[in-house]
Amino acid sequence: MTRSRPIILVHGGAGLRGMNEAQASCLAETLRAGYALLNAGAPALDAVEAAIRVLEASGLFNAGVGSRVQLDGVRRMDASIMEGRHLRAGAVAAIERIVHPITAARLVMDETSHVLLVGRPATRFAYHFKLERQLTAGPAARRVRRHGLAAAFTAKTLRLYKAMAGTDGPTRRRPGRETVGAVALDWKGTVAAGASTGGIDCMLPGRVGDTPLIGCGVYADDRAGAVSMTGLGEAIIRIAVAKEITDRLAEGLAPGAAARVVLTKLVSRIRGAAGALVLSPDGRFAIKHTTPRMAAGYWNGTGKPVVRDQFA
Ligand code: ASP
């Protein structure tokens, strides 16, 4: 296989509404930061983590300081990261008060032999490594508290959830800020994938989506490619979308075709909605979404970073 020059793809979530200017320039800045690392010889894993850190710190997306809160007013975040050479992976779920869940995920990978840490112990693990803390829970949490929902999980919370979710189950109704993710290929031909999220609208306390689940929200294998997902986690989990797309790449499908086949299955079998970044180790890539919009971009160091909110 001819070795490709490095490339990085990032996304700011799939949803109903287009991105605003601030989000577009943040995604472009992210691509520049990630590509600069790749070009200097850094591993794809470093570029993915660095890119996601920019998005988590921006407050412009549903990740890190911009994360949504759950129905009890608490912000619980999920993130994962994986590299394709040795199939190493790390993830955190329901982590609280950390600016960079993606770095907590990376630390799980680098500093332990586990793959996934959850809840308060995950938060304490991040504190142990002195990860930056969020200063406030944010205006959304204050609003939830004002409406009297801040108590722990109660019958009231469940009633509220049922009323809000209706008969269709979980939703991602409120557009604007969405999940973030990235995939990258380095000079050595290694791929990596990552994602970070504050979840969906109207989540029961303790709800975890696809993002921290290896094979669902992300997957990376140098023999096939790298995938980072966004969309309704409840559907993505049931099809194990990231692994299924990677398997199609391994069978020889091009990134666009692999994404199309699996996203079509997601929609037709279980009425899911999602977007995917798909990158193969030879540098071919696709950005596909079943939602009206997906904020995303790519750059391989030639020309300018490309950032759009709609891809064919
Ligand atoms: N996949 C995320 C989740 O279900 C949400 C998103 O991508 O917008 O938690």
Side-chain angles (χ1 to χ4, degrees):
M1 195 193 291
T2 348
R3 187 150 290 178
S4 154
R5 56 182 299 122
I7 182 166
I8 180 159
L9 284 74
V10 298
H11 74 74
L16 299 174
R17 212 165 61 185
M19 66 188 160
N20 60 34
E21 257 175 50
Q23 290 169 324
S25 48
C26 185
L27 287 172
E29 180 201 328
T30 303
L31 288 168
R32 283 198 189 86
Y35 185 79
L37 282 172
L38 292 171
N39 200 32
L45 203 54
D46 288 1
V48 163
E49 182 189 352
I52 292 177
R53 282 176 63 93
V54 174
L55 302 169
E56 287 174 333
S58 71
L60 298 169
F61 299 92
N62 172 26
V65 300
S67 294
R68 291 185 169 96
V69 294
Q70 299 196 321
L71 280 176
D72 58 356
V74 178
R75 185 179 272 156
R76 297 184 185 88
M77 301 163 288
D78 304 331
S80 66
I81 193 160
M82 181 168 187
E83 60 85 36
R85 185 151 193 213
H86 302 291
L87 307 182
R88 290 185 307 140
V92 289
I95 196 166
E96 296 175 32
R97 292 171 181 269
I98 294 294
V99 175
H100 294 298
I102 194 68
T103 296
R106 174 87 190 254
L107 284 165
V108 172
M109 184 182 110
D110 288 345
E111 301 292 334
T112 81
S113 55
H114 304 312
V115 170
L116 174 62
L117 290 185
V118 305
R120 291 276 161 86
T123 307
R124 284 198 293 271
F125 173 82
Y127 285 174
H128 171 79
F129 285 99
K130 306 211 166 7
L131 293 199
E132 194 181 339
R133 300 184 190 197
Q134 295 189 19
L135 296 178
T136 63
R142 283 196 293 277
R143 232 174 9 249
V144 172
R145 284 206 192 94
R146 255 205 319 277
H147 287 88
L149 302 166
F153 178 67
T154 58
K156 190 171 167 186
T157 317
L158 190 53
R159 264 204 311 279
L160 181 84
Y161 166 73
K162 286 197 169 146
M164 286 173 80
T167 47
D168 282 346
T171 58
R172 297 166 68 250
R173 268 183 304 220
R174 202 172 344 125
R177 278 185 296 164
E178 302 293 355
T179 294
V180 305
V183 294
L185 168 69
D186 61 30
W187 280 116
K188 291 192 170 148
T190 288
V191 293
S196 179
T197 188
I200 55 172
D201 277 341
C202 184
M203 291 170 281
L204 284 175
R207 179 265 184 193
V208 171
D210 60 298
T211 305
L213 304 182
I214 303 301
C216 298
V218 304
Y219 204 73
D221 182 348
D222 283 3
R223 298 184 186 172
V227 176
S228 176
M229 295 302 302
T230 170
L232 186 60
E234 279 69 5
I236 295 170
I237 290 169
R238 287 151 67 203
I239 305 258
V241 173
K243 182 64 164 66
E244 175 138 8
I245 293 179
T246 316
D247 286 347
R248 300 303 171 112
L249 293 174
E251 284 165 10
L253 254 59
R260 200 173 319 111
V261 168
V262 181
L263 291 181
T264 302
K265 176 176 167 186
L266 180 83
V267 174
S268 63
R269 290 288 306 276
I270 56 174
R271 294 200 299 146
L277 302 179
V278 185
L279 174 62
S280 78
D282 62 6
R284 288 174 301 156
F285 67 89
I287 301 173
K288 293 269 176 216
H289 48 104
T290 69
T291 48
R293 303 285 177 159
M294 177 166 170
Y298 55 91
W299 201 34
N300 70 354
T302 58
K304 282 187 183 163
V306 175
V307 173
R308 294 205 302 267
D309 61 13
Q310 212 168 17
F311 294 82

